[in-house]
Amino acid sequence: MNILILGSGGREHTFAWKIAQSTKCNQLFVAPGNSGTAQVATNVNIGVNDFKAIKELVVDKSIDMVVVGPEDPLVNGIHDYFLNDAAIKHVAVIGPQKVAAELEGSKEFAKEFLYRHNIPTAAYESFTKETVEKGYAFLETLKAPYVLKADGLAAGKGVVILNDLEEAKAELKSMLVDAKFGQASTKVVIEEFLDGIELSCFVLTDGEHYKILPTAKDYKRIGEGDTGLNTGGMGAISPVPFATDEFLNKIEERIVKPTINGFKKDNLPYVGFVFIGLIKVGDDPKVIEYNVRMGDPETEVVLPRLKNDFVEILQAMAHGHLDKINIEIDERAATTIMLVSGGYPEAYEKGKEITGVHAIKDSIPFHAGAQLINNKIVTSGGRVMAITSYGKTYQEAIKKSYQNIEKLHFDKMNYRKDIGFDL
Ligand code: AMP
Ligand code: GLY
């Protein structure tokens, strides 16, 4: 079959790398892709939200399946767009339909879903410009720190956690009244602060059945010791050492099962990846958020541990027989370290040549913000490349990644040297 992957990050290079290993994939395209996807697939310069151009490509290249990487096109309804067009409705789309994608598109929608299905999560209330005074009063009933979340998509910046009550009130006003995050903060969810260690759980579903992929932990802050600004993710480890069988069992029984059953009860059509952001509070898992896609850089450690033919799994998801699949996982640990442009997550320069990629041994360089220009690999984004390694332990895997990073260079290259420090 012919497959199209949408996206251009490390996650999409990992998808392409894994799909390209399958004998079931004939032609593989990535739109728009990066210098890594160009090694294993054909890049097509089309944006992920340009549905019309995507349709033309799908028809022109007889594409049978579209695997959607990022959340944007899902929240914008790409799956529905395919279903509503006779010329492409037969094409399998991996990713939920628009109503279900609201689980990531709206924090309030996600919280209502969690409450309706009795899934453990932080207590919350939501507010609008009209109810901002009630929001101040609600903040007064809470203890610090205060967690404020813009309801809509805000490019990962919409969550603000503050220690001071007056600052929290000012932030609430800035979000609701001054539209700090534009449309995304027309509503704000205020949540109880949960204290614990975070991990990510990934579930595949065909809408009826589910399979759980290995857990992963990502490192979101730019600075060592988990300090400084939030990023898209600076590194990841799989499996998560503290996720014991007993804890995983709690996740499945209390969170995964009611989530998948909730999709059915609420008529949320869901064929795709469910990324459940969790926090371990005491010995119990609670849901921080849903994402309707795989995580990045978690994908760079989760997929390399999957032994199955990935296309067989995707087909089973699309055709409703995921129950027939037996997921096989590599016993080894996998880790990834993200190389980023100096300055990221704030302003940074692009177009820096990346050297040393061919010298890498025993690690897999998954390209992210990197493009091939005049036969040179140059930086094109904040997160540039994820260096993934396997090891008997995560410590061994991390060591390999760091050894290989020594061989890589670009001007103002930055990365965290302490991934795994907290485990
Ligand atoms: P989100 O975009 O919902 O994942 O939130 C971003 C980050 O904020 C999470 O990864 C957590 O580190 C933190 N966070 C979100 N909600 C809470 C909460 N209720 N308690 C503590 N930390 C939170
Ligand atoms: N690494 C977190 C995310 O993909 O949202």
Side-chain angles (χ1 to χ4, degrees), residues 109-124:
F109 182 87
K111 294 301 284 192
E112 286 173 351
F113 177 90
L114 287 159
Y115 263 70
R116 191 161 53 245
H117 300 292
N118 288 313
I119 301 168
T121 189
Y124 79 105

Side-chain angles (χ1 to χ4, degrees), residues 18-319:
K18 186 75 181 151
I19 289 174
Q21 293 168 31
S22 169
T23 52
K24 295 195 157 54
C25 179
N26 184 17
Q27 292 189 68
L28 180 60
F29 300 91
V30 186
N34 60 31
S35 48
T37 61
Q39 296 168 358
V40 288
T42 305
N43 285 349
V44 187
N45 193 13
I46 294 175
V48 297
N49 288 305
D50 190 348
F51 296 175
K52 195 164 160 282
I54 292 169
K55 173 191 165 177
E56 280 161 19
L57 178 71
V58 163
V59 172
D60 183 40
K61 301 293 182 191
S62 304
I63 285 163
D64 306 288
M65 177 184 281
V66 179
V67 183
V68 186
E71 63 277 14
D72 255 43
L74 294 166
V75 173
N76 291 338
I78 192 163
H79 197 144
D80 311 61
Y81 181 87
F82 272 69
L83 290 173
N84 290 325
D85 189 322
I88 47 173
K89 69 187 293 184
H90 63 282
V91 175
V93 177
I94 304 296
Q97 290 176 43
K98 192 177 163 87
V99 274
E102 279 299 286
L103 286 168
E104 179 162 0
S106 162
K107 303 270 185 205
E108 186 186 45
F109 182 87
K111 294 301 284 192
E112 286 173 351
F113 177 90
L114 287 159
Y115 263 70
R116 191 161 53 245
H117 300 292
N118 288 313
I119 301 168
T121 189
Y124 79 105
E125 280 195 36
S126 55
F127 301 93
T128 61
K129 196 163 141 181
E130 287 69 38
T131 58
V132 65
E133 295 290 336
K134 286 192 179 138
Y136 299 150
F138 182 62
L139 282 169
E140 282 168 11
T141 68
L142 299 175
K143 277 193 276 204
Y146 305 95
V147 183
L148 282 73
K149 300 185 173 184
D151 179 60
L153 291 183
K157 298 192 172 66
V159 176
V160 182
I161 301 179
L162 295 164
N163 278 312
D164 182 82
L165 179 62
E166 291 313 312
E167 274 180 39
K169 287 183 182 173
E171 180 67 29
L172 182 66
K173 174 174 178 292
S174 146
M175 285 189 181
L176 288 175
V177 183
D178 311 328
K180 177 175 178 187
F181 297 106
Q183 270 291 108
S185 62
T186 358
K187 270 187 203 161
V188 171
V189 169
I190 301 179
E191 270 189 20
E192 162 202 13
F193 179 81
L194 299 176
D195 198 7
I197 187 160
E198 287 177 59
L199 73 157
S200 309
C201 167
F202 299 96
V203 182
L204 310 171
T205 183
D206 57 12
E208 182 66 34
H209 317 99
Y210 70 86
K211 294 284 168 178
I212 303 179
L213 292 175
T215 51
K217 182 172 193 316
D218 89 335
Y219 291 80
K220 286 201 172 84
R221 303 294 196 93
I222 187 70
E224 271 139 37
D226 285 342
T227 55
L229 293 173
N230 255 324
T231 71
M234 296 293 290
I237 291 181
S238 177
V240 177
F242 62 80
T244 59
D245 285 347
E246 191 192 347
F247 188 66
L248 291 175
N249 189 48
K250 286 181 186 170
I251 294 176
E252 179 161 9
E253 292 303 320
R254 299 179 190 174
I255 293 168
V256 176
K257 282 186 183 168
T259 295
I260 303 297
N261 285 332
F263 295 166
K264 287 188 256 183
K265 283 186 195 150
D266 294 356
N267 290 317
L268 299 176
Y270 209 122
V271 169
F273 305 99
V274 194
F275 165 172
I276 313 180
L278 297 170
I279 188 159
K280 181 173 179 270
V281 182
D283 287 325
D284 295 320
K286 294 197 178 197
V287 175
I288 291 265
E289 63 168 348
Y290 286 113
N291 295 305
V292 296
R293 52 174 173 85
M294 284 296 291
D296 193 350
E298 290 96 326
T299 305
E300 289 92 306
V301 292
V302 171
L303 279 198
R305 298 188 59 224
L306 182 68
K307 290 207 225 162
N308 302 63
D309 181 320
F310 193 39
V311 177
E312 252 172 45
I313 294 182
L314 295 170
Q315 281 177 319
M317 285 160 73
H319 298 122

Side-chain angles (χ1 to χ4, degrees), residues 337-357:
I337 313 289
M338 190 63 81
L339 307 180
V340 304
S341 298
Y344 172 82
E346 297 185 280
Y348 56 85
E349 294 165 27
K350 299 180 189 176
K352 311 285 186 190
E353 184 178 355
I354 306 164
T355 57
V357 182

